[in-house]
Amino acid sequence: MSDLETASRSLIATHQWTRLQAGLTRILPHNRFYQEKFSAVGVNQPLTLEQLEDLSHFPFTTKRELVADQEAHPLFGRNLTYPVSNYIRLHQTSGTTGRPLKLLDTQESWDWWADCWATVYRAAGVSRDDIVFLAFGFGPFIGFWSAYEGAKRLGALTVPGGGMDSVQRLRALQEIGATVLVCTPSYALHLAEVAQEHGIDMRESSVRVTIHAGEPGASIPATRERIERAWNARTYDHAGMTEMGAYGFSCSQQQGIHVNEEEFIAEILNPQTGQPVADGQTGELVLTNLGRWGSPAIRYRTGDLVRHSGYSCSCGRTFLALTGGVLGRVDDMLIVRGVNVYPSALADVLHRFPEVSEYRVIVTQAGPMDEIALQVECPAERIAHIQEELHIAFNLRIPVEVVEQGSLPRFELKAKRVDDRRDASGVAHKAK
Ligand SMILES: [Zn+2]
């Protein structure tokens, strides 16, 4: 690990401050998006910031703003520090929550992405001696391209698993003796399921580490254990986003993620008030990246809900810890009869049952409240036990219906296990 990962908090803050100042000096003369935002609050050249805490005077950046800016200034918007000819990579968001956002990277910022991903691999004990297999259809989504570049940066043999179905991927993994599997947590479970159907035992494979991103899972204890059992490997989490970078990684303790504070400044804020939450509390993660100067994100509201878990960890790192990783999206929280229910918490209960191969959460509306019911693929005789465990976890009676094995959708990318059937004119918190 780098020296900064175990440094004192004051040294980390000094590093972040130095990087942020250097970055702003590059951004502000040319980047019209941030020029406009900052001049509105009186932050102009020369910089009026004197310490890291002054960052809290900066306005937030939201996805909605970036999307609106691209719509008003096609194709790439105004959040560009350099002429378009300086950029070498174009990726875009999935567009599941609206119009896709296009993001450009310069060679410098693409190298920065690779460095951030190399940190993810190193923290999971991956080295240049490993063979990394990326089980993913390589499209315009940035996640696995950056994972690919990061493995290359590490010096590991890197294998793209695009253009293959699940069986072909399983055979390729076996044939080349891959030691590291990178994919979404749902897809790791799906691959194991397909392997079983084809009489292939992945516990016997050479895969020793799995790294997951794209959705909560590898930091949900029951889900992680399920993946580890299916692959006979150690499972690590990673968090990142197209607009921001690869910001989080799991350490040897596998309790969640650390924010890579060498490359990002993290704030955890109450999403309603915008005030910082105390240690142990949950809030929205707000990030500033410190190396993607060509298309920066300053005080970006990630929409990721996380728990502030302090700065000490048995691994020795002093980087901010987020126990449980990304707990969910701020706007994914359901309120069922007064109880806050996160989809990740439901996964933690359901994945304790090896017989549950897939599930779906049906959300309906009962007055101002959400109501949920579950559909699960599992033997009928287990339902009572599942309901009992759900009752213990949430103190709620949640209806559980058995559905036919294989009838629910499987996912390669981000799983969509919440089927929201609420009336669009109803509760305002589902503005997607
Ligand atoms: Zn740690």
Side-chain angles (χ1 to χ4, degrees), residues 286-304:
V286 173
L287 289 173
T288 298
N289 51 21
L290 299 172
R292 199 187 199 185
W293 304 124
S295 40
I298 298 169
R299 298 200 87 207
Y300 185 73
R301 296 192 69 144
T302 64
D304 284 345

mmCIF file of all heavy atoms in Angstrom, residues 286-304:
data_model
loop_
_atom_site.group_PDB
_atom_site.id
_atom_site.type_symbol
_atom_site.label_atom_id
_atom_site.label_comp_id
_atom_site.label_asym_id
_atom_site.label_seq_id
_atom_site.Cartn_x
_atom_site.Cartn_y
_atom_site.Cartn_z
ATOM 1 N N VAL A 286 -20.538 12.455 -0.646
ATOM 2 C CA VAL A 286 -20.253 13.565 -1.558
ATOM 3 C C VAL A 286 -18.752 13.534 -1.832
ATOM 4 O O VAL A 286 -17.953 13.521 -0.896
ATOM 5 C CB VAL A 286 -20.689 14.910 -0.933
ATOM 6 C CG1 VAL A 286 -20.250 16.082 -1.796
ATOM 7 C CG2 VAL A 286 -22.200 14.937 -0.736
ATOM 8 N N LEU A 287 -18.373 13.474 -3.087
ATOM 9 C CA LEU A 287 -16.956 13.260 -3.423
ATOM 10 C C LEU A 287 -16.417 14.348 -4.338
ATOM 11 O O LEU A 287 -17.143 14.922 -5.164
ATOM 12 C CB LEU A 287 -16.788 11.917 -4.141
ATOM 13 C CG LEU A 287 -16.965 10.648 -3.326
ATOM 14 C CD1 LEU A 287 -16.942 9.429 -4.248
ATOM 15 C CD2 LEU A 287 -15.883 10.507 -2.264
ATOM 16 N N THR A 288 -15.109 14.583 -4.181
ATOM 17 C CA THR A 288 -14.361 15.446 -5.084
ATOM 18 C C THR A 288 -13.186 14.624 -5.608
ATOM 19 O O THR A 288 -12.463 14.021 -4.802
ATOM 20 C CB THR A 288 -13.835 16.684 -4.315
ATOM 21 O OG1 THR A 288 -14.952 17.418 -3.820
ATOM 22 C CG2 THR A 288 -12.972 17.564 -5.196
ATOM 23 N N ASN A 289 -13.019 14.543 -6.911
ATOM 24 C CA ASN A 289 -11.877 13.766 -7.408
ATOM 25 C C ASN A 289 -10.650 14.661 -7.602
ATOM 26 O O ASN A 289 -10.774 15.863 -7.840
ATOM 27 C CB ASN A 289 -12.227 12.948 -8.654
ATOM 28 C CG ASN A 289 -12.882 13.770 -9.736
ATOM 29 O OD1 ASN A 289 -12.745 14.982 -9.758
ATOM 30 N ND2 ASN A 289 -13.590 13.115 -10.645
ATOM 31 N N LEU A 290 -9.484 14.057 -7.447
ATOM 32 C CA LEU A 290 -8.237 14.823 -7.401
ATOM 33 C C LEU A 290 -7.264 14.387 -8.492
ATOM 34 O O LEU A 290 -6.074 14.234 -8.244
ATOM 35 C CB LEU A 290 -7.582 14.647 -6.023
ATOM 36 C CG LEU A 290 -8.389 15.131 -4.822
ATOM 37 C CD1 LEU A 290 -7.722 14.724 -3.509
ATOM 38 C CD2 LEU A 290 -8.563 16.642 -4.867
ATOM 39 N N GLY A 291 -7.773 14.147 -9.690
ATOM 40 C CA GLY A 291 -6.845 13.719 -10.731
ATOM 41 C C GLY A 291 -7.476 13.670 -12.110
ATOM 42 O O GLY A 291 -6.810 13.439 -13.098
ATOM 43 N N ARG A 292 -8.794 13.895 -12.146
ATOM 44 C CA ARG A 292 -9.462 13.852 -13.440
ATOM 45 C C ARG A 292 -9.723 15.298 -13.884
ATOM 46 O O ARG A 292 -10.860 15.715 -14.067
ATOM 47 C CB ARG A 292 -10.784 13.096 -13.286
ATOM 48 C CG ARG A 292 -11.342 12.591 -14.594
ATOM 49 C CD ARG A 292 -12.719 12.018 -14.382
ATOM 50 N NE ARG A 292 -13.119 11.151 -15.472
ATOM 51 C CZ ARG A 292 -14.305 10.600 -15.564
ATOM 52 N NH1 ARG A 292 -15.206 10.813 -14.642
ATOM 53 N NH2 ARG A 292 -14.607 9.809 -16.584
ATOM 54 N N TRP A 293 -8.640 16.037 -14.054
ATOM 55 C CA TRP A 293 -8.803 17.484 -14.224
ATOM 56 C C TRP A 293 -9.465 17.844 -15.551
ATOM 57 O O TRP A 293 -10.015 18.934 -15.698
ATOM 58 C CB TRP A 293 -7.456 18.184 -14.083
ATOM 59 C CG TRP A 293 -6.778 17.871 -12.785
ATOM 60 C CD1 TRP A 293 -5.528 17.355 -12.618
ATOM 61 C CD2 TRP A 293 -7.311 18.041 -11.461
ATOM 62 N NE1 TRP A 293 -5.245 17.189 -11.278
ATOM 63 C CE2 TRP A 293 -6.331 17.593 -10.546
ATOM 64 C CE3 TRP A 293 -8.527 18.503 -10.948
ATOM 65 C CZ2 TRP A 293 -6.529 17.612 -9.167
ATOM 66 C CZ3 TRP A 293 -8.717 18.516 -9.573
ATOM 67 C CH2 TRP A 293 -7.732 18.083 -8.711
ATOM 68 N N GLY A 294 -9.425 16.952 -16.505
ATOM 69 C CA GLY A 294 -10.044 17.237 -17.800
ATOM 70 C C GLY A 294 -11.562 17.320 -17.722
ATOM 71 O O GLY A 294 -12.206 18.028 -18.496
ATOM 72 N N SER A 295 -12.172 16.564 -16.807
ATOM 73 C CA SER A 295 -13.628 16.592 -16.595
ATOM 74 C C SER A 295 -13.881 16.302 -15.116
ATOM 75 O O SER A 295 -14.334 15.223 -14.750
ATOM 76 C CB SER A 295 -14.335 15.566 -17.479
ATOM 77 O OG SER A 295 -13.590 14.368 -17.527
ATOM 78 N N PRO A 296 -13.580 17.277 -14.273
ATOM 79 C CA PRO A 296 -13.584 17.051 -12.825
ATOM 80 C C PRO A 296 -14.995 16.959 -12.243
ATOM 81 O O PRO A 296 -15.975 17.310 -12.904
ATOM 82 C CB PRO A 296 -12.875 18.292 -12.283
ATOM 83 C CG PRO A 296 -13.152 19.362 -13.285
ATOM 84 C CD PRO A 296 -13.221 18.656 -14.625
ATOM 85 N N ALA A 297 -15.064 16.477 -10.999
ATOM 86 C CA ALA A 297 -16.322 16.474 -10.246
ATOM 87 C C ALA A 297 -15.998 17.006 -8.859
ATOM 88 O O ALA A 297 -15.248 16.376 -8.113
ATOM 89 C CB ALA A 297 -16.908 15.079 -10.181
ATOM 90 N N ILE A 298 -16.518 18.170 -8.538
ATOM 91 C CA ILE A 298 -16.216 18.808 -7.266
ATOM 92 C C ILE A 298 -17.472 18.836 -6.409
ATOM 93 O O ILE A 298 -18.516 19.326 -6.834
ATOM 94 C CB ILE A 298 -15.666 20.228 -7.497
ATOM 95 C CG1 ILE A 298 -14.350 20.110 -8.290
ATOM 96 C CG2 ILE A 298 -15.451 20.958 -6.174
ATOM 97 C CD1 ILE A 298 -13.829 21.412 -8.806
ATOM 98 N N ARG A 299 -17.344 18.262 -5.223
ATOM 99 C CA ARG A 299 -18.497 18.129 -4.301
ATOM 100 C C ARG A 299 -19.684 17.501 -5.032
ATOM 101 O O ARG A 299 -20.798 18.009 -5.025
ATOM 102 C CB ARG A 299 -18.892 19.459 -3.670
ATOM 103 C CG ARG A 299 -17.806 20.069 -2.809
ATOM 104 C CD ARG A 299 -18.383 21.077 -1.845
ATOM 105 N NE ARG A 299 -18.850 20.457 -0.592
ATOM 106 C CZ ARG A 299 -19.811 20.953 0.183
ATOM 107 N NH1 ARG A 299 -20.451 22.039 -0.161
ATOM 108 N NH2 ARG A 299 -20.151 20.340 1.302
ATOM 109 N N TYR A 300 -19.435 16.369 -5.626
ATOM 110 C CA TYR A 300 -20.473 15.683 -6.409
ATOM 111 C C TYR A 300 -21.352 14.852 -5.480
ATOM 112 O O TYR A 300 -20.855 14.030 -4.693
ATOM 113 C CB TYR A 300 -19.807 14.784 -7.450
ATOM 114 C CG TYR A 300 -20.792 14.134 -8.386
ATOM 115 C CD1 TYR A 300 -21.427 14.874 -9.379
ATOM 116 C CD2 TYR A 300 -21.100 12.782 -8.264
ATOM 117 C CE1 TYR A 300 -22.347 14.281 -10.230
ATOM 118 C CE2 TYR A 300 -22.011 12.179 -9.113
ATOM 119 C CZ TYR A 300 -22.631 12.932 -10.097
ATOM 120 O OH TYR A 300 -23.531 12.344 -10.930
ATOM 121 N N ARG A 301 -22.631 15.056 -5.595
ATOM 122 C CA ARG A 301 -23.573 14.269 -4.775
ATOM 123 C C ARG A 301 -23.758 12.918 -5.455
ATOM 124 O O ARG A 301 -24.468 12.813 -6.451
ATOM 125 C CB ARG A 301 -24.904 15.011 -4.636
ATOM 126 C CG ARG A 301 -24.717 16.328 -3.880
ATOM 127 C CD ARG A 301 -26.019 16.924 -3.491
ATOM 128 N NE ARG A 301 -26.680 16.144 -2.459
ATOM 129 C CZ ARG A 301 -27.399 16.677 -1.479
ATOM 130 N NH1 ARG A 301 -27.541 17.973 -1.392
ATOM 131 N NH2 ARG A 301 -27.995 15.898 -0.591
ATOM 132 N N THR A 302 -23.121 11.897 -4.882
ATOM 133 C CA THR A 302 -23.115 10.591 -5.545
ATOM 134 C C THR A 302 -24.467 9.898 -5.485
ATOM 135 O O THR A 302 -24.734 9.007 -6.293
ATOM 136 C CB THR A 302 -22.088 9.643 -4.887
ATOM 137 O OG1 THR A 302 -22.496 9.405 -3.536
ATOM 138 C CG2 THR A 302 -20.682 10.218 -4.922
ATOM 139 N N GLY A 303 -25.288 10.261 -4.494
ATOM 140 C CA GLY A 303 -26.550 9.531 -4.319
ATOM 141 C C GLY A 303 -26.336 8.198 -3.618
ATOM 142 O O GLY A 303 -27.284 7.466 -3.349
ATOM 143 N N ASP A 304 -25.060 7.881 -3.298
ATOM 144 C CA ASP A 304 -24.771 6.631 -2.582
ATOM 145 C C ASP A 304 -24.928 6.850 -1.084
ATOM 146 O O ASP A 304 -24.394 7.809 -0.523
ATOM 147 C CB ASP A 304 -23.323 6.171 -2.859
ATOM 148 C CG ASP A 304 -23.167 5.546 -4.237
ATOM 149 O OD1 ASP A 304 -24.194 5.200 -4.859
ATOM 150 O OD2 ASP A 304 -22.016 5.382 -4.684
#
